[in-house]
């Protein structure tokens, strides 16, 4: 334990250094593979085991590969929508489980665990059967529903854990002051659970972007998403265009965040 | 319709249609007979369940359990201090660090796994670096070992542990720590009696959302471990897709989920015991 | 909400009907995109290209959808016979395929589809042995048997494919790789059990990778993978073992529920044109079954044994066909035992 008792100024400086070092080490672990693929997106070597000279060709190929780009946009669309909807629905569910007594409450949490325990193939096949039975067109809608559903438990568990540590009196106090249930939820519960809600969204988005098995069963020919295309490349070898795409997404995300930060800063200083 | 009724009925409706019904199909299938041309046919039978209880599957279950448990533990050991330290930074820095944590996970996991292979291979970055620095005489086998599998699983699952932990650290009331300090509790005592109990919901949920998916994961383990060992996910995939014995695949999945549910119950029970034995929780306050 | 959903769906399907199209279900990057564009430009038929990542997924999905949703699929060898037997395919009208004569007759009329009633070859290849010529000398490896040598302890690569690995053991024991005989399969399992200590890795995602990363220098491999590694400058050699290699063909088929049958024929015929086949072969890197395309290709591609095997190698080898679900279940059982170390 680094939290020594009578730590003066020096102690806290060491502590700070320690925490910076630890966090950097973890980030280094997470970014080592990313660094490899960023470097390889400029490598003329197709499989990237050695450096064979700088090239832009994978980026050029990527921009001309309409199918891959389409799949990427589809993935992004489904990911954003599924994560957002799953976060909304999941937050409601977590709150219902936390606050209300109702019939089938145990069954509800049981079903959420079932989603997490169920093997991908089982989810994939049973979803497909259900969608066909309900007459849901295979493509955008079926993908969205499937992704939303398998993201749900991750949101519920994260948000529920946060709610569970709360002081229930806050909610009662709001109610006593005359706020409706809806009002209480949106102006007390949601702000208090924000970190968990954001965590849940991030987890869902990540899960959705990376799903292959469920998606390959429930999607239709008109709506292909990136992971399926990437996994399907096994026949001919995964192309570094995918590295280029990943690098692009990386740069785009970083740029977006930097921009947001700048705007925030500007807003504050004015 | 009032708020309460609305959210409860939406919850129940969604879960019934998209979780309960599909899994009832699964349970139903597990009692049917296999057929080459139609996949699933009458009559009902218990034979599928008999076939599930064979020594091979016991080995497979045990191996998956072991792997998932180790991965969860390592994740916890890395993520706990990470989330804790993270919560000590300024709000803005926290947000940026969280973003940096999740960003790598928006790249397809297959691509990242290939990159891990480039790092761990015999001609890979680690080996070449160690050999050229003279620390090693010749490259060591890192890929296709248990080490590589754990390395990959932890890599893939880390944010799933960090995020719930972070949200429980974030709400931790630091005045409690101060109070503990004033009452003369040392660092270890403060950790055991204040910090650990307060972050317990985060630990529990983090472990759940890492362990349960890890039990069924097989793709990454196959790629990095050389697919020499079967995991539960492999068996399910083989039964459904290769052998095309759907009833048996269904029976296997049902049993597998029941076993996991059993583990879950034991876990919940253990948590209750731990939190009862002192520490700061509702009853003790 | 529901009404809106239904309305949206109806609109979407109406739009789809308005235009001539063909829906192709294939591996990704398994076709040169310029060829697809050219097809659309010439015929006005829009191509919807969907991808799968294994034959198993493609099969299960078509099975569940009762052969509907796709106009062309590209299964590998034994899936053609399986799908045909189960009534999932419809016969291909060869009178509509003006370029059918371009195909290499050695690859037609095989056991998996006599008379090519249901399938038209698209690409073909083999599973055999490859080794790293920097570590092993030429002639050291000539047969499947050589993989069993105890000196390779913990060093070999096998493909992660039940049929292929059993095929190897069955041929080694002097049986057909398509054997359904439970005794022969059991014997193959025993044979494979003694091979397990030598295995470092099973890989069917990209068997070239462990060779390139230096972790493996000998093992089973696909010819296309070896060709790709060679293009990367790796000194990999490809050997057709004397017991005979495994051959496979990826073929165009038309599922029984296809909606655009005429367009599917047009698409297949287009792909059979010599120049189109050449363009695709150069893009994909596997051998084209199109004889008319061969003279258009580079000599070093044509002469590379990793791309085109000799007449002898083909004669000695065997094409997979469907062995039925019972034999497949048995193999899967043994396979699981092998991997669980039992």
């Amino acid at each position: 334990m680094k939290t020594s008792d009578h730590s003066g100024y020096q102690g806290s400086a060491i502590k700070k250094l320690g925490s910076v070092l630890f966090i950097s080490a973890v980030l280094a672990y997470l970014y080592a593979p990313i660094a490899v693929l960023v470097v390889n997106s400029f490598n003329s070597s197709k499989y990237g085991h050695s450096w064979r000279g700088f090239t832009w060709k994978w980026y050029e190929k990527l921009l001309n590969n309409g199918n891959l780009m389409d799949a990427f946009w589809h993935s992004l669309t489904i990911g954003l929508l599924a994560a957002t909807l799953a976060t909304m629905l999941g937050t409601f569910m977590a709150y219902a489980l936390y606050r209300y007594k109702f019939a089938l409450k145990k069954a509800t949490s049981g079903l959420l665990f079932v989603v997490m325990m169920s093997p991908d193939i089982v989810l994939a096949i049973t979803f497909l059967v259900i969608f066909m039975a309900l007459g849901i067109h295979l493509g955008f809608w079926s993908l969205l529903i499937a992704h939303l559903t398998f993201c749900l438990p991750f949101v519920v568990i994260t948000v529920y854990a946060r709610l569970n540590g709360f002081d229930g009196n806050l909610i009662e106090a709001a109610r006593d002051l005359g706020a409706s249930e809806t009002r209480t939820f949106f102006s007390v519960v949601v702000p208090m659970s924000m970190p968990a809600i954001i965590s849940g969204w991030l987890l869902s988005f990540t899960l959705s972007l990376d799903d292959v098995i469920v998606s390959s069963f429930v999607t239709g020919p008109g709506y292909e998403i990136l992971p399926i295309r990437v996994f399907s490349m096994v026949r001919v070898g995964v192309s570094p265009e995918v590295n280029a795409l990943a690098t692009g997404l990386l740069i785009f995300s970083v740029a977006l965040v930097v921009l947001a930060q700048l705007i925030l800063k500007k807003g504050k200083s004015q | 319709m009032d708020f309460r009724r609305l959210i409860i009925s939406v919850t129940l409706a969604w879960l019934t249609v998209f979780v309960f019904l599909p899994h009832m199909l699964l349970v139903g299938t597990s009692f049917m007979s296999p057929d080459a041309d139609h996949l699933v046919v009458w009559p009902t039978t218990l034979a599928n369940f008999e076939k599930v209880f064979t020594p091979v599957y016991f080995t497979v279950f045990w191996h998956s359990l072991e792997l998932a448990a180790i991965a969860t533990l390592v994740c916890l050991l890395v993520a706990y201090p990470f989330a804790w330290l993270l919560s000590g930074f300024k709000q803005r820095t926290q947000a940026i660090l969280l973003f940096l944590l999740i960003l790598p996970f928006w790249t397809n996991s297959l691509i990242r796994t290939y990159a891990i292979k480039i790092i761990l291979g015999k001609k890979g970055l680690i080996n070449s670096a160690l050999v050229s620095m003279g620390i090693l005489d010749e490259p060591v086998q890192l890929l296709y070992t248990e080490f590589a599998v754990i390395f990959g699983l932890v890599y893939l699952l880390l944010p799933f542990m960090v995020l719930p932990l972070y949200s429980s650290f974030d709400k931790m009331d630091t005045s409690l720590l101060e109070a503990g300090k004033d009452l003369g509790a040392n660092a270890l005592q403060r950790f055991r009696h204040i910090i650990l109990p307060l972050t317990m919901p985060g630990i529990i949920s983090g472990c759940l959302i890492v362990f349960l998916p890890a039990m069924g994961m097989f793709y990454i383990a196959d790629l990095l471990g050389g697919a020499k060992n079967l995991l539960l996910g492999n068996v399910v995939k083989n039964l459904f897709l290769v052998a095309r014995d759907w009833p048996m695949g269904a029976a296997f999945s049902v049993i597998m989920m029941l076993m996991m549910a059993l583990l879950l119950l034991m876990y919940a029970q253990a948590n209750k015991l731990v939190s009862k034995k002192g520490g700061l929780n509702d009853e003790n306050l | 909400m529901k009404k809106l959903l239904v309305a949206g769906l109806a609109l979407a399907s109406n739009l789809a009907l308005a235009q001539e199209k063909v829906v192709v279900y294939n591996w990704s990057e398994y076709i040169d995109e310029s060829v697809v564009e050219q097809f659309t430009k010439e015929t006005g038929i829009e191509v919807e290209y969907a991808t799968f990542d294994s034959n198993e997924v493609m099969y299960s999905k078509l099975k569940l959808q009762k052969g509907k949703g796709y106009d062309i699929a590209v299964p590998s060898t034994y899936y053609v016979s399986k799908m045909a037997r189960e009534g999932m395919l419809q016969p291909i009208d060869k009178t509509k395929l003006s370029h059918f004569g371009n195909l290499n007759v050695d690859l037609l009329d095989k056991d998996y589809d006599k008379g090519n009633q249901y399938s038209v070859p698209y690409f073909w290849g083999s599973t055999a042995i490859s080794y790293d010529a920097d570590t092993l000398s030429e002639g050291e490896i000539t047969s499947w048997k050589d993989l069993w040598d105890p000196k390779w302890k913990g060093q070999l690569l096998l493909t992660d494919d039940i049929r292929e690995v059993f095929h190897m053991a069955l041929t080694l024991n002097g049986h057909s790789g398509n054997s359904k005989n439970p005794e022969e399969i059991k014997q193959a399992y025993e044979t494979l059990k003694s091979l397990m200590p030598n295995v470092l890795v099973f890989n069917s995602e990209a068997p070239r990778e462990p060779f390139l990363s230096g972790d493996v220098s000998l093992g089973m491999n696909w010819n296309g993978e070896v060709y790709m590694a060679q293009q990367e400058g790796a000194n990999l050699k490809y050997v057709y073992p004397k017991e005979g290699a495994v051959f496979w063909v990826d073929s165009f088929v038309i599922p029984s529920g296809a909606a655009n049958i005429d367009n599917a024929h047009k698409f297949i015929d287009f792909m059979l044109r010599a120049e189109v086949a050449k363009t695709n072969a150069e893009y994909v890197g596997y051998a084209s079954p199109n004889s008319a395309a061969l003279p258009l290709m580079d000599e070093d591609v044509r002469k590379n044994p990793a791309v085109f095997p000799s007449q002898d190698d083909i004669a000695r080898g065997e094409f997979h066909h469907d062995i039925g679900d019972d034999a497949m279940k048995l193999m899967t059982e043994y396979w699981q035992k092998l991997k669980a170390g039992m």
Side-chain angles (χ1 to χ4, degrees), chain B residues 37 57 123 141 226-228, chain C residues 63 200 202 213 215 336 339:
Chain B
D37 288 357
Y57 295 137
K123 289 179 191 161
Q141 189 74 51
K228 279 166 298 186
Chain C
K63 184 88 189 172
L200 175 70
F202 287 92
S213 71
D215 287 281
Q336 291 180 339
K339 284 208 174 175

Side-chain angles (χ1 to χ4, degrees), chain A residues 51-87:
Chain A
W51 180 256
R52 289 160 66 112
F54 181 90
T55 178
W56 284 108
K57 74 175 166 193
W58 307 119
Y59 288 86
E60 282 164 25
K61 279 193 164 178
L62 172 68
L63 292 178
N64 290 321
N65 193 339
N67 280 329
L68 201 62
M69 290 306 286
D70 281 351
F72 169 70
W73 292 118
H74 290 161
S75 267
L76 213 56
T77 313
I78 290 285
L80 291 172
L81 283 174
T84 308
L85 294 173
T87 307

Side-chain angles (χ1 to χ4, degrees), chain A residues 45-46 52 219 229 232 235, chain C residues 28 52 61 209 232 250:
Chain A
S45 155
K46 191 168 177 201
R52 289 160 66 112
T219 191
R229 285 212 94 92
S232 173
R235 208 59 167 180
Chain C
S28 81
F52 55 85
K61 213 173 157 182
E209 285 285 335
E232 270 289 287
D250 290 344

Side-chain angles (χ1 to χ4, degrees), chain B residues 112-177:
Chain B
R112 278 181 292 141
T113 312
Y114 276 1
I116 292 179
K117 286 177 127 181
I118 290 175
I119 294 175
L120 295 180
K122 266 198 173 161
K123 289 179 191 161
L125 296 178
I126 293 184
N127 268 318
S128 348
L130 291 178
V131 169
S132 67
M133 283 190 294
I135 298 172
L136 286 176
D137 290 334
E138 54 181 71
V140 285
Q141 189 74 51
L142 294 172
L143 262 184
Y144 315 120
T145 61
E146 294 271 299
F147 164 77
V149 176
I150 299 291
F151 185 98
L153 280 178
V154 171
Y155 186 101
L156 216 69
L157 294 165
L158 196 62
F160 290 74
M161 187 67 94
V162 172
L163 288 173
L165 279 173
Y166 164 74
S167 62
S168 71
F169 268 111
D170 180 72
K171 67 158 193 252
M172 199 163 66
D173 191 350
T174 42
S175 63
L176 279 172
L177 278 178

Side-chain angles (χ1 to χ4, degrees), chain A residues 39-117:
Chain A
V39 169
N40 274 339
S41 73
F42 298 105
N43 190 347
S44 343
S45 155
K46 191 168 177 201
Y47 306 117
H49 286 276
S50 55
W51 180 256
R52 289 160 66 112
F54 181 90
T55 178
W56 284 108
K57 74 175 166 193
W58 307 119
Y59 288 86
E60 282 164 25
K61 279 193 164 178
L62 172 68
L63 292 178
N64 290 321
N65 193 339
N67 280 329
L68 201 62
M69 290 306 286
D70 281 351
F72 169 70
W73 292 118
H74 290 161
S75 267
L76 213 56
T77 313
I78 290 285
L80 291 172
L81 283 174
T84 308
L85 294 173
T87 307
M88 282 160 56
L89 195 55
T91 307
F92 284 137
M93 284 187 187
Y95 185 65
L97 287 172
Y98 167 72
R99 178 149 164 79
Y100 302 129
K101 286 203 167 62
F102 54 95
L104 300 172
K105 188 167 166 171
K106 279 244 162 71
T108 303
S109 47
L111 283 176
L112 287 167
F113 279 114
V114 163
V115 179
M116 286 185 78
M117 295 188 295

Side-chain angles (χ1 to χ4, degrees), chain B residues 201-219:
Chain B
I203 297 179
I204 294 171
S205 54
C207 287
L208 280 179
I209 61 180
V210 168
F211 180 81
L212 292 180
M215 279 293 275
M217 231 172 229
F218 62 95
Y219 200 80

